[in-house]
Amino acid sequence: MDAAVLLQEARGRSGLSRRQLAQRGGTSPSTLSAYESGTSVPSVSTLERLLLAAGFEAEANLRPVPTT
């Protein structure tokens, strides 16, 4: 899952408007829009900050790939 999808889902599930999430996450609505559309990619720390502002945190797992 990419950052755009994570942000869209977090904002939708939180019920926050783009303006509200941007304000809580310390960025502008236009920057958040660029992140959500995928035209810009946030740094990991910015993504974490925005997800936390929406009340969520990301979780990543690694699974071994079978060798052939």
Side-chain angles (χ1 to χ4, degrees):
M1 196 174 284
D2 65 16
V5 173
L6 286 173
L7 288 168
Q8 290 169 15
E9 184 173 342
R11 189 169 64 80
R13 289 175 57 185
S14 71
L16 295 170
S17 69
R18 188 170 284 135
R19 179 174 291 190
Q20 290 170 319
L21 179 55
Q23 184 175 14
R24 287 183 184 193
T27 193
S28 69
S30 60
T31 298
L32 179 56
S33 179
Y35 293 156
E36 288 186 349
S37 70
T39 58
S40 184
V41 179
S43 67
V44 172
S45 62
T46 298
L47 177 60
E48 288 176 338
R49 187 179 74 241
L50 289 167
L51 292 175
L52 283 172
F56 297 93
E57 60 183 11
E59 182 178 83
N61 296 305
L62 294 176
R63 284 179 262 158
V65 177
T67 57
T68 56

